[in-house]
Amino acid sequence: MIVAEQKPLEEISKSLEGFENIVIAACGTCVTVCMAGGEKEALKLASVLELNRAEQAVPVKVKVVTPKRQCDVEFLDDMAEEFGGADVILSMGCGAGVQFMAERFRGKLVLPGINTKFIGVAREIGVWTEMCQGCGACILEKTGGVCPVARCSKSNFNGPCGGSMDGKCEIDPNVDCGWQLIYDRLKELDRVEKLYEIVEPKDWRSSRDGGPRSVEKKEMRLDTDI
Amino acid sequence: MNVAILGKSQVNDLLEKKLSEEGFTPCRVECLEDITGFSGERLDYIVRTTGQTVKVGHVIVTEEPVCEKPFSNHYRVTVGNEPVVFILDYPSESPAHYTVDALENAIKLARRRKQVFYLSRFMRTAGYQTENLYKEARNAGVTFIKYLSLEIACDTETGLYRIMADDGYDALKLESTAVIKPESSTASEKMDRIARLLRLKCNEDSSVNDDRSFLFPTLTSRNGIYFIHSSTITAETELQDRIAFTISEMKERTGHGLADAAAGKEAKGIEIDAGKCAFCYTCFRACPHSAMAPDYENSVMKNLGNGCQTCGICVSVCPADAVKMKAEKPVDGVKAPNALKILCCENSGKAAAQMLKHELAGLFERIETVPVSCGGEISVETITADLKHYGKVLVLTCMDDACKHFEGNKRAARFVEKTKALLAASGLDEKRVECMKLSHAMPMALRDQILEMMG
Ligand code: SF4
Ligand code: SF4
């Protein structure tokens, strides 16, 4: 799932300065689950903004709407009416949601309410960690199911750097060394010999380095050759 | 109705007899290793064992929680005149069975004219037996030290410990080889497994959390599952009392729905909006009574009505705002910028506030008290929504160790802290919201708090 974090309140308030009719668009999927931009967070933000404006005697109307997802246009179409009178839309969706809303509601200013962080998992209530960087060519088969791209700070492919100490990474004693995890896991699986296979330098064009990416599932389309 | 008795214990015969007398059908599973699965909810539990599957209405666990007493092996070995130091270093209170055992041993040693120190971060008051034990220990001359920070260094050659305990005012230095910490204790693996299988709330060391045992000696975190342990019972009459208490609970303590329906009231309970639920498992993880269960067919969470104790923790933690309390709160409408709204836990704050209504009658014209089942129901969102209509909000919850729902009070306190931070960040007075932990018998402390907030 996509994991995000709400922007500091000061930043949000500042970006909304001067607007009277504000619609906060929460998103009912990933950012709800990671407690950054679901309906609860949006309602909370709405109340705090109202309190703040009341204190300054500046009028404001805040409305909260929650499409199931901001990344599928039909959910946005269903909500189009709600955005009618808005001077500004604060999207609590991930970066994709904010941009897709901006595309769909061209005449409206759409601002981001959260910082999109990574693809990760919920470790316990209130804790998420990064697991995948979307590099476009998965090599988990070679590394015992632990990603060296996302979980080694240097994205090393053939073992740890010299900074690995007591299972921790040199960038931060709270961060596990990705390569220690890979080694431990392969040992558990009795597949340490996998590590003798040298991984060739990666062709990073499949990742972000190749420019903006898209995926096409041709059999689902009727207007192109397969 | 079938009642499962799980575990081997000398209590079992008597328990079985009493249950039969009361019209229940006891089913014994003495060997806990035989249990392979457990599901369902109160009145409708299913216990699977290697040989059979039994449907039972209630479950009573009689297996002892620890197989070894954590301190009993140590207290004999102390020598000379050096002080004996017990250290119970837990982030919150120490588990009850450790506390009881440590206190018992401390008393024995102190009575033998040893100098005994008992160091802990928290005093445990809500455990069965502990109040009397604390008193006895004090009479025997045990010195209790409650510290904020602790440093321990041990010389491995001589076995000498150098201990420094700081309570924020003073630092106490001790040197002794007779230091007793509960690390060496072995909580029974069998019991750990059963606690996980039954989804009972556990402490960090995975022993079953019995914080509520002072008030409710045999209740666990889950409705319909009880504990009766012979090791903590000192007199035969006590055992009889506990069995009687359990049986009366089994008969009377129904799921909130059943109790309210019997009383002709509309059921208090939890409603989940399936359209909003993101199936994120937050409520499932947070519910202290294991009363949420996944409904895979519909990809939503469902509430187990007979297990739910309506603490509202799921309401406050759900990020989709999908969980609501069924019963509407009556509002008498003193909404005003100079008014104070007090959200009071019905187990503590409600009674304390009630006692002040007469004394502070003038002020109460500007106070609205709203009882909540537990502080756990209150979230940042509900507090900020209230602040739009009231000048100030005061949240009253039970003291630590006394929360009927284990951590509702702690969650409320966290949410109040977060609200304060948000208020500060938007240039508002963070003193507009406060949280106070109290017992029903602390109206004077509450009065001071109200006077402070209302100027
Ligand atoms: S916390 Fe809310 S959204 Fe998550 S599973 Fe429970 S009801 Fe559904
Ligand atoms: S109200 Fe409390 S007991 Fe009931 S489901 Fe919610 S968290 Fe669990």
Side-chain angles (χ1 to χ4, degrees):
Chain A
M1 137 188 91
I2 289 174
V3 179
E5 204 173 31
Q6 204 168 111
K7 282 183 176 290
L9 185 62
E10 293 92 333
E11 188 183 336
I12 297 178
S13 311
K14 198 152 189 302
S15 70
L16 294 172
E17 249 169 45
F19 295 107
E20 189 175 330
N21 291 302
I22 301 170
V23 176
I24 303 182
C27 180
T29 307
C30 306
V31 295
T32 293
V33 176
C34 70
M35 303 179 193
E39 185 154 312
K40 192 64 124 324
E41 289 298 317
L43 288 169
K44 182 168 90 190
L45 192 57
S47 297
V48 177
L49 285 173
E50 281 169 2
L51 282 173
N52 176 271
R53 292 284 179 97
E55 177 90 356
Q56 301 170 7
V58 178
V60 72
K61 268 196 218 105
V62 191
K63 184 155 74 175
V64 170
V65 296
T66 311
K68 192 88 193 159
R69 288 195 297 279
Q70 291 185 14
C71 52
D72 276 302
V73 75
E74 289 80 356
F75 291 119
L76 303 184
D77 288 344
D78 283 348
M79 302 252 148
E81 246 175 52
E82 308 274 0
F83 298 114
D87 302 332
V88 66
I89 299 171
L90 183 78
S91 163
M92 308 281 281
C94 67
V98 179
Q99 294 179 58
F100 212 41
M101 294 268 293
E103 262 181 43
R104 170 64 185 78
F105 304 109
R106 295 211 85 89
K108 301 277 176 201
L109 178 63
V110 182
L111 300 175
I114 65 176
N115 292 322
T116 311
K117 308 278 282 201
F118 50 77
I119 302 175
V121 295
R123 291 278 166 199
E124 54 186 279
I125 296 185
V127 182
W128 297 268
T129 57
E130 179 161 22
M131 299 295 265
C132 170
Q133 223 167 281
C135 77
C138 189
I139 63 154
L140 288 172
E141 175 265 334
K142 292 190 171 49
T143 54
V146 179
C147 174
V149 181
R151 299 178 73 187
C152 163
S153 305
K154 296 171 185 156
S155 297
N156 283 343
F157 276 65
N158 287 291
C161 70
S164 174
M165 234 306 236
D166 301 327
K168 297 294 172 189
C169 172
E170 67 174 349
I171 64 148
D172 182 339
N174 296 315
V175 171
D176 287 329
C177 164
W179 272 96
Q180 183 74 50
L181 298 175
I182 293 173
Y183 178 77
D184 292 346
R185 183 81 183 109
L186 286 172
K187 204 161 166 204
E188 240 171 69
L189 295 169
D190 206 11
R191 279 165 75 95
V192 180
E193 77 287 347
K194 270 270 167 201
L195 294 178
Y196 291 114
E197 292 171 23
I198 300 293
V199 180
E200 297 288 313
K202 187 176 171 81
D203 180 352
W204 287 99
R205 279 174 300 179
S206 63
S207 184
R208 261 290 309 143
D209 311 67
R213 294 167 283 177
S214 60
V215 171
E216 198 177 4
K217 197 165 169 77
K218 289 202 167 149
E219 70 274 30
M220 290 303 291
R221 313 202 49 194
L222 304 176
D223 54 353
T224 52
D225 296 333
I226 285 202
Chain B
M1 178 175 284
N2 289 340
V3 177
I5 300 175
L6 309 184
K8 213 180 171 82
S9 163
Q10 65 217 52
V11 177
N12 287 2
D13 288 338
L14 181 64
L15 182 60
E16 201 170 82
K17 186 168 149 256
K18 294 276 178 197
L19 284 171
S20 310
E21 280 170 18
E22 296 286 343
F24 292 101
T25 317
C27 331
R28 273 200 215 192
V29 183
E30 291 211 318
C31 182
L32 293 182
E33 283 90 345
D34 286 352
I35 302 171
T36 54
F38 184 79
S39 59
E41 61 176 311
R42 186 180 187 282
L43 306 180
D44 200 12
Y45 282 123
I46 296 168
V47 184
R48 274 182 293 278
T49 67
T50 37
Q52 54 173 342
T53 298
V54 253
K55 275 183 168 245
V56 296
H58 306 267
V59 176
I60 302 174
V61 183
T62 56
E63 184 85 13
E64 295 307 324
V66 278
C67 51
E68 193 190 321
K69 286 208 160 191
F71 298 99
S72 43
N73 288 340
H74 297 280
Y75 73 88
R76 289 179 213 97
V77 303
T78 57
V79 286
N81 285 330
E82 56 180 352
V84 185
V85 187
F86 286 85
I87 301 179
L88 282 99
D89 190 36
Y90 290 90
S92 66
E93 54 178 356
S94 47
H97 56 278
Y98 287 178
T99 317
V100 170
D101 201 34
L103 287 169
E104 279 173 351
N105 285 305
I107 293 167
K108 273 185 218 162
L109 288 161
R111 286 196 179 137
R112 284 199 238 144
R113 299 185 191 284
K114 287 230 174 267
Q115 193 184 8
V116 182
F117 288 90
Y118 185 103
L119 274 53
S120 64
R121 275 196 253 180
F122 281 79
M123 281 303 189
R124 201 194 152 87
T125 51
Y128 169 68
Q129 277 187 338
T130 41
E131 280 205 351
N132 284 340
L133 285 172
Y134 274 123
K135 204 155 88 193
E136 260 182 66
R138 269 188 211 102
N139 290 342
V142 175
T143 311
F144 287 92
I145 311 275
K146 187 167 171 271
Y147 59 81
L148 290 174
S149 70
L150 182 76
E151 278 171 38
I152 312 174
C154 180
D155 184 330
T156 37
E157 262 175 41
T158 56
L160 184 73
Y161 284 88
R162 290 196 174 80
I163 300 161
M164 195 162 81
D166 197 332
D167 65 0
Y169 301 101
D170 238 333
L172 171 84
K173 285 190 188 135
L174 288 169
E175 284 192 3
S176 173
T177 55
V179 170
I180 302 173
K181 295 187 288 167
E183 281 155 353
S184 56
S185 75
T186 40
S188 153
E189 266 175 43
K190 265 197 277 185
M191 274 302 300
D192 288 354
R193 198 183 134 258
I194 289 302
R196 276 197 303 277
L197 207 63
L198 268 52
R199 289 188 54 215
L200 299 177
K201 195 158 176 56
C202 289
N203 296 313
E204 266 171 32
D205 67 347
S206 75
S207 57
V208 173
N209 185 320
D210 56 1
D211 282 358
R212 305 189 303 175
S213 58
F214 187 65
L215 294 171
F216 314 104
T218 66
L219 299 194
T220 68
S221 60
R222 285 191 81 174
N223 253 353
I225 303 181
Y226 308 86
F227 265 127
I228 300 182
H229 296 140
S230 61
S231 72
T232 52
I233 294 171
T234 42
E236 173 76 17
T237 48
E238 228 170 77
L239 175 60
Q240 307 243 6
D241 285 351
R242 286 190 181 209
I243 293 177
F245 170 81
T246 309
I247 291 176
S248 77
E249 285 286 315
M250 282 164 44
K251 285 182 161 171
E252 281 166 32
R253 188 191 173 84
T254 49
H256 53 83
L258 302 179
D260 288 338
K265 282 190 285 182
E266 207 208 319
K268 201 172 165 191
I270 292 301
E271 246 170 355
I272 299 174
D273 181 337
K276 282 185 174 180
C277 173
F279 211 6
C280 70
Y281 271 88
T282 305
C283 55
F284 178 93
R285 293 172 191 147
C287 172
H289 305 297
S290 300
M292 285 286 183
D295 170 359
Y296 289 116
E297 228 167 88
N298 299 302
S299 283
V300 289
M301 208 47 85
K302 67 170 184 239
N303 176 248
L304 301 174
N306 290 340
C308 175
Q309 299 183 23
T310 53
C311 62
I313 287 177
C314 52
V315 177
S316 71
V317 300
C318 171
D321 204 36
V323 193
K324 290 266 142 48
M325 222 36 138
K326 258 189 228 157
E328 280 288 310
K329 302 258 143 52
V331 174
D332 20 88
V334 273
K335 291 180 179 175
N338 68 350
L340 170 71
K341 177 160 181 175
I342 308 184
L343 294 156
C344 26
C345 167
E346 62 187 15
N347 303 308
S348 51
K350 187 179 163 192
Q354 192 68 38
M355 283 185 238
L356 292 173
K357 277 208 168 146
H358 191 62
E359 188 186 335
L360 300 181
L363 280 182
F364 266 84
E365 283 169 16
R366 287 190 286 129
I367 294 179
E368 173 158 322
T369 51
V370 175
V372 290
S373 315
C374 168
E377 185 187 331
I378 299 157
S379 67
V380 179
E381 187 259 311
T382 50
I383 300 171
T384 49
D386 277 339
L387 284 173
K388 287 194 270 180
H389 307 292
Y390 302 85
K392 295 192 172 164
V393 172
L394 172 60
V395 175
L396 302 181
T397 70
C398 298
M399 322 258 277
D400 283 342
D401 312 353
C403 175
K404 200 171 156 193
H405 306 291
F406 299 95
E407 56 198 21
N409 60 344
K410 292 183 192 138
R411 286 193 186 277
R414 299 292 282 185
F415 284 144
V416 168
E417 258 175 62
K418 175 73 190 178
T419 312
K420 279 175 168 288
L422 282 176
L423 292 179
S426 63
L428 299 165
D429 181 9
E430 57 175 39
K431 292 214 166 73
R432 288 185 63 185
V433 53
E434 299 291 349
C435 177
M436 185 183 178
K437 290 180 180 168
L438 78 177
S439 85
H440 65 283
M442 288 167 64
M444 291 307 129
L446 175 59
R447 186 186 62 181
D448 293 347
Q449 179 72 45
I450 291 177
L451 289 175
E452 196 184 321
M453 287 185 87
M454 300 197 73

